[in-house]
Amino acid sequence: MPTVKYKRILLKISGEALAGEAHRGLDFSVIDSVCEVIKKCSALGVQIGVVIGGGNFWRGVKDGADKMQRSHGDAMGMLATVMNAIAMADALCRHGLDARVLSAVEMNKFCEYFTRDTADRYLNEGKVVIFAAGTGNPYFTTDTGAVLRAVEIEADAILMAKNVDGIYSADPNKDPTAVKYDSLTYDEVIARQLKATDITAMTLAMDNHMTLVCFALKDPENILRVVCGENIGTIVKED
Ligand code: UDP
């Protein structure tokens, strides 16, 4: 049995990563493969919290932009994260896991309201907890929501599963000279304006000494590799 480096994790998956090649909506083959890996991590005794973005359905700033009042556009974005959370909980249950959705915004017909203590209890019971609706406030992102929840549940690390395989010196899709970093400090990410998370999320992680590992979801087994301490992607932590 492999040894585990991180016993309680917060897995952040961007909405777009769940959409697969289509980049919009949900790709159930991606969701199923993520569930399989979450199941393997759970079988190793890892406690798993999940935050899913909403970009596969709606991003407030990008899709609403100057056509909508920002708070309204962001409310739609938060609702998109709830749709993803419900889809993921449904899939996890089909894979034989017990999963609960805890939302930052009350909507008790669909899911439970988030409290830190409920999340902690469920995690200790071996349930997968999916945190929905981000921080519950406009002008934030689900990256910030992920760091906030990770800090609250005292996670050992945040696993940022993205469409890129780490943090680069420049956009690797646009700049062929872009270099991937193995390890960075929070200060380096912020000072060099590297595309890891938004700055609000990164400063919250820095203030609370929360380790982040950024890697590609393209191979979902990467989640297990990171949990077991394999050096893939880019790790952001204190010196
Ligand atoms: N959002 C928000 N407050 C939060 C989290 C998210 O208003 O605390 C809204 C915001 O409009 C954002 C959208 O939800 O664009 C989807 O989240 P995000 O862009 O972080 O999703 P991802 O890029 O990870 O798929």
Side-chain angles (χ1 to χ4, degrees):
M1 194 138 112
T3 49
V4 159
K5 180 173 181 187
Y6 304 118
K7 293 195 168 65
R8 181 177 275 197
I9 62 166
L10 190 298
L11 174 64
K12 162 75 208 299
I13 305 174
S14 70
E16 209 175 329
L18 276 195
E21 298 298 319
H23 301 287
R24 299 297 280 184
L26 294 167
D27 181 331
F28 282 93
S29 64
V30 175
I31 293 177
D32 283 341
S33 51
V34 171
C35 288
E36 277 307 315
V37 184
I38 289 178
K39 195 172 175 179
K40 287 182 195 168
C41 295
S42 177
L44 293 174
V46 178
Q47 297 182 353
I48 305 149
V50 184
V51 168
I52 310 171
N56 52 326
F57 288 121
W58 185 267
R59 271 201 194 96
V61 172
K62 188 164 157 269
D63 296 316
D66 50 2
K67 296 180 280 297
M68 286 185 81
Q69 202 281 327
R70 170 81 188 258
S71 298
H72 299 155
D74 283 344
M76 290 175 66
M78 285 184 267
L79 287 169
T81 73
V82 178
M83 292 203 284
N84 283 332
I86 292 171
M88 181 57 88
D90 176 88
L92 286 165
C93 292
R94 273 191 286 108
H95 284 78
L97 288 159
D98 197 351
R100 300 297 162 97
V101 178
L102 299 183
S103 168
V105 177
E106 240 172 320
M107 47 181 93
N108 61 9
K109 293 278 182 192
F110 299 148
C111 51
E112 291 172 65
Y113 187 45
F114 166 81
T115 72
R116 184 262 164 213
D117 291 348
T118 309
D120 188 53
R121 176 161 53 82
Y122 284 160
L123 289 167
N124 284 329
E125 289 169 0
K127 296 179 172 73
V128 179
V129 177
I130 305 172
F131 301 103
T135 62
N137 295 292
Y139 297 88
F140 286 97
T141 63
T142 50
D143 279 355
T144 303
V147 177
L148 177 63
R149 296 299 181 236
V151 170
E152 286 182 282
I153 62 167
E154 297 166 79
D156 297 318
I158 303 176
L159 277 62
M160 291 264 174
K162 300 211 171 220
N163 282 339
V164 265
D165 63 350
I167 304 174
Y168 284 78
S169 54
D171 184 345
N173 296 317
K174 293 184 188 147
D175 183 348
T177 66
V179 182
K180 187 174 137 222
Y181 298 104
D182 293 332
S183 176
L184 288 161
T185 62
Y186 309 101
D187 283 329
E188 286 169 336
V189 175
I190 293 165
R192 296 180 203 171
Q193 298 185 3
L194 301 174
K195 295 269 173 297
T197 63
D198 56 277
I199 296 200
T200 311
M202 195 51 70
T203 52
L204 188 62
M206 179 167 75
D207 287 348
N208 293 282
H209 322 286
M210 179 55 66
T211 297
L212 286 107
V213 187
C214 300
F215 60 96
L217 187 69
K218 200 170 166 60
D219 180 0
E221 290 288 323
N222 281 342
I223 297 167
L224 187 61
R225 293 187 183 107
V226 175
V227 159
C228 294
E230 234 181 89
N231 291 327
I232 58 165
T234 305
I235 187 163
V236 183
K237 57 180 173 57
E238 276 163 337
D239 272 336

